[in-house]
Amino acid sequence: MKNSKLTLILEILLIIVVFVFIGVVLYDFYEGKNTDKNVEEILIQLDKEIEINTNEISGINNEKLEVNDEKIDAKIQGTVSINSSMVYGKIEIPSIRLKYPILEYNEKNLKNSICNLSGTSINGTGNLSIAGHNTSNGRLFGKLRNVKSGDIIEVTNIYGQKYKYLVFKTTKVDKDDNSLLKFSSEPIITLVTCTNSAKQRLIVQGQLISQN
């Protein structure tokens, strides 16, 4: 009798666990779909903003201006507001089929996209530091561990200027080690995400090789 009751209790608990697991999977799938839709909307709107900004830059004083030129008109900014988020541009890594808008760094944006950790405009100078979560489903920087030396990282600002970086370093550091995020006199990019270990961070760095 006791064994029968125990078996029944175990079966009920197993059923509950299965339903909870299914619920979590469905919730993650639903949230992922909504997030992907929002990201796609931002990318579409960003491309429209890039076209507008490119035309505006061409028209200022009828001369060609660079975003990192100190003489640039004061109305030219480093970000644009899209869907209530400040957007710096977009990042693409062809080798892992990654393409995301680069948003202002905060916890909310980190759940949805890639964020500008350095907080500076995208102009091909200094150390452009970009952060993203390491997800189990491969979204965001979930595939960053597959990037290797020699791969290309492409970053485009809100004026359509594209900067290409050649990956020269992939390493893991202590979670409190921020040495690779410091200012650099050389134009580089630093991508950072967590690892499966809560004690380390994965770092990918690239050297600027071209801009247009």
Side-chain angles (χ1 to χ4, degrees):
M1 187 69 174
K2 290 182 179 181
N3 288 338
S4 298
K5 288 184 178 181
L6 181 59
T7 300
L8 179 60
I9 292 174
L10 291 175
E11 289 177 348
I12 293 174
L13 289 175
L14 179 60
I15 292 172
I16 293 174
V17 169
V18 170
F19 273 101
V20 169
F21 176 77
I22 293 174
V24 169
V25 171
L26 290 176
Y27 176 80
D28 287 344
F29 176 79
Y30 175 78
E31 285 295 301
K33 285 293 183 181
N34 282 343
T35 299
D36 290 343
K37 181 180 179 181
N38 183 54
V39 165
E40 186 62 30
E41 289 176 352
I42 292 178
L43 286 172
I44 292 173
Q45 186 60 38
L46 175 60
D47 286 339
K48 293 179 181 178
E49 292 288 344
I50 287 175
E51 183 177 359
I52 293 172
N53 290 337
T54 301
N55 293 333
E56 287 184 350
I57 290 179
S58 299
I60 294 177
N61 297 326
N62 293 318
E63 61 183 24
K64 185 178 179 181
L65 298 176
E66 298 295 333
V67 172
N68 54 357
D69 191 331
E70 293 181 357
K71 297 180 180 179
I72 214 162
D73 193 278
K75 68 181 179 180
I76 295 181
Q77 303 296 322
T79 61
V80 61
S81 179
I82 301 177
N83 289 4
S84 301
S85 295
M86 298 307 297
V87 184
Y88 287 85
K90 58 185 175 182
I91 180 172
E92 298 177 67
I93 307 179
S95 64
I96 58 173
R97 298 182 180 180
L98 179 146
K99 183 178 181 180
Y100 280 98
I102 302 173
L103 308 183
E104 178 184 21
Y105 181 82
N106 59 52
E107 289 302 319
K108 179 182 177 181
N109 286 340
L110 270 177
K111 294 179 180 179
N112 300 314
S113 192
I114 306 303
C115 293
N116 185 343
L117 190 59
S118 55
T120 57
S121 60
I122 298 172
N123 55 25
T125 63
N127 183 4
L128 178 61
S129 301
I130 308 293
H133 279 309
N134 174 21
T135 61
S136 59
N137 58 12
R139 293 185 64 260
L140 305 177
F141 276 171
K143 296 181 181 178
L144 192 62
R145 63 184 178 276
N146 296 327
V147 173
K148 60 185 182 299
S149 294
D151 285 353
I152 295 295
I153 301 170
E154 299 177 356
V155 177
T156 306
N157 64 21
I158 62 173
Y159 300 100
Q161 294 180 307
K162 181 177 289 187
Y163 302 89
K164 287 189 177 182
Y165 297 84
L166 181 69
V167 175
F168 66 87
K169 175 187 285 187
T170 61
T171 186
K172 293 179 181 179
V173 300
D174 184 85
K175 66 176 183 179
D176 298 319
D177 183 356
N178 296 318
S179 61
L180 295 179
L181 302 179
K182 293 181 179 180
F183 174 79
S184 170
S185 58
E186 297 293 325
I188 63 174
I189 189 170
T190 301
L191 310 183
V192 56
T193 189
C194 55
T195 64
N196 293 331
S197 168
K199 298 180 179 180
Q200 290 185 312
R201 297 287 181 267
L202 172 64
I203 302 289
V204 173
Q205 289 189 303
Q207 179 77 40
L208 183 68
I209 57 173
S210 69
Q211 62 184 73
N212 63 331

